[in-house]
């Protein structure tokens, strides 16, 4: 394959170095965008009468054929291609001959790779947002199915207070909504058309950058040619959005793994997403959730790699920047996988037991309800907290349940205790008793489910 820059070299490149520097293995992902970018560029060159009309027509015809081949999956990348830009150029030259050589007028691969990447990020931000919505919908269906299930809510991984399982599921719907906002912003941050920056200084030809921007669907053009080819903020924005998304995914996975253990016994993970053990016949392991939890580490690593790669690079373009693609594509692919798998897996989750059904419920879950009981009897909260703390200690030391302490004994802790105190020991009452907006009260949780269903309707 003929290089895009052979002229000033007497020797050909070292074979090992050639292989090492080639990015075609991963930047072929940009093939479609590269052709679309070139089509717009060439149309602009023709409109501005910078290249011969005949050559521009031949190029456009050739590029359109290549685009079709790419979409069909029949685009052939030549042996020894350096990157996607040279691969497309070589293919075009093969198809239309010398006219292809006009295509790269007033353009460098530096602004070309930037426009390709921006189009990719723009598309992926939209596609991922749509996939996140599907994951939210499957969370909503789980929340609806499991609406009667009350579980011990945790803080510090210790049982804290009774909550609706659905309330916890909905908290992930909220998180995913914020992920969509971040993805959207990443899509916005790449909405600046860099073509025309060329290598770094712009061009001596009277090009029409607004026209190219319009053809490519960008709302504005970059205003500094140096910044245009040096900027990878939009890559970082995308990597960051995905990293935060994976932080949420990993917390969800961890919750589901915990809840599926025999110790918690709250959910069953669908068998299609589990594997067994080669030695312990009884095992059903939550591997899908574990691997997705681990994907968060890879998403963070991708973000950090590009952050560190960019740090301290002198302006403008440097070849170091080539590796941003590896990390970006990897994070996007992992996010796509995660979303597809999670959406299916969540549909299959069976929430199976409710604390209300369980024997031997840990009554410390009602400690705040007990303190609030005393507050309703007129005590200051701090005082009530102290009394229930001492009562809890007393019961722990005596190995008895708080609900089994007779009123006469309770009165030694506070005169405010009465026989109605025992009514608080119901998980249903506890959740029903919550009144604040956004709380775990089942009426409010149902309302929130409905408002999400409405909001996520197409
Ligand atoms: N493969 C390169 C990259 O991804 C394309 C730009 C090459 N530019 C250059 N001056 N060598 O960054």
């Amino acid at each position: 394959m003929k290089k895009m820059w052979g002229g000033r070299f007497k020797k050909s490149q070292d074979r090992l170095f050639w292989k090492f520097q080639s990015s075609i293995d991963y930047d072929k992902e940009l093939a479609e965008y590269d052709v679309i970018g070139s089509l717009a560029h060439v149309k602009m060159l023709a409109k501005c009468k910078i290249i011969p009309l005949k050559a521009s027509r031949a190029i456009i015809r050739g590029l359109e054929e290549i685009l079709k081949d790419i979409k069909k999956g029949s685009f052939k990348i030549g042996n020894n291609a350096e990157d996607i830009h040279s691969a497309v150029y070589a293919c075009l030259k093969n198809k239309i001959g010398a006219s292809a050589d006009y295509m790269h007028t007033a353009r460098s691969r530096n602004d070309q790779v930037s426009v390709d990447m921006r189009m990719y990020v723009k598309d992926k931000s939209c596609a991922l947002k749509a996939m996140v919505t599907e994951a939210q919908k499957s969370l909503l269906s789980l929340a609806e199915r499991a609406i009667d299930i009350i579980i011990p809510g945790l803080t510090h991984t210790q049982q804290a207070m009774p909550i609706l399982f659905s309330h916890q599921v909905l908290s992930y719907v909220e998180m995913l909504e914020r992920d969509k906002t971040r993805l959207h912003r990443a899509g916005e941050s790449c909405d600046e058309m860099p073509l025309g920056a060329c290598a770094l200084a712009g061009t001596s030809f009277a090009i029409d950058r607004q026209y190219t921007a319009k053809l490519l669907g960008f709302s504005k053009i970059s205003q500094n040619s140096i910044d245009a080819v040096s900027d990878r903020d939009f890559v970082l924005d995308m990597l960051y959005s995905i990293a935060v998304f994976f932080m949420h995914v990993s917390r969800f996975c961890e919750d589901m793994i915990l809840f599926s253990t025999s110790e918690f016994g709250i959910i069953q993970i669908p068998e299609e997403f589990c594997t067994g053990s080669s030695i312990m016949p009884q095992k059903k392991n939550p591997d899908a959730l574990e691997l997705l939890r681990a994907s968060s580490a890879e998403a963070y690593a991708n973000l950090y790699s590009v952050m560190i790669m960019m740090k301290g690079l002198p302006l403008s373009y440097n070849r170091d920047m080539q590796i941003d693609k590896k990390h970006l594509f990897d994070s996007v692919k992992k996010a796509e996988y995660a979303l597809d798998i999670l959406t299916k897996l969540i549909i299959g989750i069976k929430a199976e037991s409710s604390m209300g059904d369980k024997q031997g419920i840990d009554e410390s879950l009602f400690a705040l309800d007990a303190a609030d009981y005393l507050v309703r009897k007129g005590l200051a909260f701090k005082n009530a907290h102290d009394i229930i703390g001492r009562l809890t200690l007393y019961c722990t030391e005596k190995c008895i349940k708080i609900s089994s302490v007779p009123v006469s004994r309770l009165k030694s802790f506070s005169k405010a205790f009465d026989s109605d105190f025992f009514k608080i020991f119901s998980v249903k009452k506890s959740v029903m008793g919550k009144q604040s907006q956004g709380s775990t009260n089942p009426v409010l949780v149902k309302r929130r489910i409905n408002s999400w269903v409405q909001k996520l309707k197409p």
Side-chain angles (χ1 to χ4, degrees), residues 331-377:
S331 274
V332 168
K333 281 201 185 110
K334 291 221 158 76
E336 288 171 342
Y337 249 118
L339 283 161
D340 271 342
I341 291 175
L342 278 175
T343 302
K344 280 194 194 165
L345 185 151
I346 293 163
I347 293 285
I349 288 180
K350 282 204 180 75
E352 49 184 18
S353 89
S354 165
M355 275 168 65
D357 312 333
K358 283 199 182 140
Q359 296 298 311
I361 191 169
D362 177 355
E363 286 187 349
S364 66
L365 283 163
F366 299 107
L368 177 55
D369 290 327
D372 286 350
Y373 166 89
L374 291 176
V375 169
R376 289 204 171 81
K377 297 279 178 185

Side-chain angles (χ1 to χ4, degrees), residues 5 21-24 26-27 30 82-85 108-114 117 232 317-325:
W5 42 264
Q21 61 99 44
S22 160
S23 53
I24 191 67
Y26 48 95
D27 68 13
L30 294 173
E82 187 179 355
D83 55 24
I84 188 61
H85 322 301
S108 149
R109 281 181 298 167
N110 298 356
D111 55 350
Q112 188 178 358
V113 74
S114 167
M117 291 280 278
R232 291 295 182 270
Y317 175 81
N318 297 273
R319 191 67 184 273
D320 314 46
M321 288 150 78
Q322 172 166 291
I323 64 152
D324 64 348
K325 281 164 250 4

